[in-house]
């Protein structure tokens, strides 16, 4: 479910009603890209963020229960290489689950900069089906700018690589 309304997205793109499904798909992708860049979940307002925060403790507990169960099942595997792979898979799923819980606990309510960044990304996805554009001369290829990152960067956590 998008945090930006489909009506705003359609208006931003000046899209026609028959494009609704395509716009929704690209809007979802733009919001997901913003969340992944920010390392935070996006919420429509502070009330939605507060509601999500109440789920984090239980979510982390569930992650641990699933890990313990998967490690228990893996310990029953007799072939050492298979057992080690199953344990590695369980730990990887656990780390992904914890990352998701962290993204929720560090969530942020939508603001004008984040909305603009998502709409900018949406516009890019709508107008350009490729990462690069070939000009009149086929040998002149330019990479399209991603100005949305400059709008999102002040809200980004855990910069990493």
């Amino acid at each position: 479910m998008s945090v930006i309304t489909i009506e705003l997205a359609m208006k931003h793109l000046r899209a026609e009603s028959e494009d609704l499904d395509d716009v929704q798909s690209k809007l979802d992708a733009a919001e997901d890209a913003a969340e992944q860049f920010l390392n935070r979940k996006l919420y429509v307002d502070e009330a939605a963020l507060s509601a999500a925060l109440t789920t984090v403790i239980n979510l982390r507990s569930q992650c641990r229960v699933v890990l313990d169960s998967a490690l228990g099942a893996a310990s029953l595997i007799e072939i050492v290489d298979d057992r080690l792979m199953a344990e590695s898979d369980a730990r990887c799923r656990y780390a992904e689950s914890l990352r998701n819980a962290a993204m929720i606990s560090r969530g942020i309510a939508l603001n004008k900069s984040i909305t603009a960044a998502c709409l900018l990304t949406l516009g890019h996805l709508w107008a350009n089906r490729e990462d690069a554009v070939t000009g009149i001369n086929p040998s002149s290829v330019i990479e399209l700018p991603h100005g949305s990152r400059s709008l999102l960067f002040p809200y980004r956590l855990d910069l990493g690589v």
Side-chain angles (χ1 to χ4, degrees):
M1 183 68 171
S2 296
V3 292
I4 296 173
T5 65
I6 189 64
E7 293 80 18
L8 178 59
M10 295 289 286
K11 184 177 178 182
H12 175 74
L13 297 175
R14 296 186 180 115
E16 302 295 326
S17 58
E18 61 267 9
D19 298 321
L20 185 79
D21 291 339
D22 191 29
V23 172
Q24 184 65 62
S25 174
K26 287 173 175 48
L27 177 59
D28 292 343
E31 290 179 2
D32 181 60
E35 287 180 338
Q36 297 307 316
F37 181 77
L38 293 170
N39 295 310
R40 309 171 91 167
K41 290 288 185 187
L42 299 176
Y43 295 94
V44 69
D45 56 24
E46 290 293 332
L49 173 58
S50 294
L53 291 175
T54 64
T55 67
V56 173
I57 293 172
N58 287 336
L59 185 59
R60 285 190 177 124
S61 296
Q62 290 170 2
C63 292
R64 187 66 186 173
V65 168
V66 170
L67 172 66
D68 292 343
S69 174
L71 289 176
S75 71
L76 301 175
I77 299 172
E78 291 182 21
I79 300 170
V80 175
D81 288 342
D82 292 347
R83 181 175 60 247
L84 293 174
M85 186 57 72
E87 289 171 355
S88 176
D89 290 345
R91 287 187 180 93
C92 184
R93 285 191 302 276
Y94 177 65
E96 289 172 356
S97 298
L98 287 181
R99 180 178 184 271
N100 184 54
M103 286 179 67
I104 293 169
S105 69
R106 299 171 183 165
I108 187 170
L110 205 58
N111 62 39
K112 291 179 182 181
S113 293
I114 294 171
T115 301
C118 290
L119 292 175
L120 188 60
T121 301
L122 172 64
H124 170 74
L125 293 171
W126 179 255
N128 306 289
R129 306 292 191 218
E130 305 291 334
D131 281 342
V133 176
T134 304
I136 296 171
N137 179 354
S139 64
S140 66
V141 176
I142 59 168
E143 187 174 334
L144 294 168
H146 294 282
S148 58
R149 290 184 181 167
S150 64
L151 292 166
L152 294 173
F153 202 82
Y155 305 100
R156 188 173 185 200
L157 298 177
D158 299 334
L159 300 182
V161 281

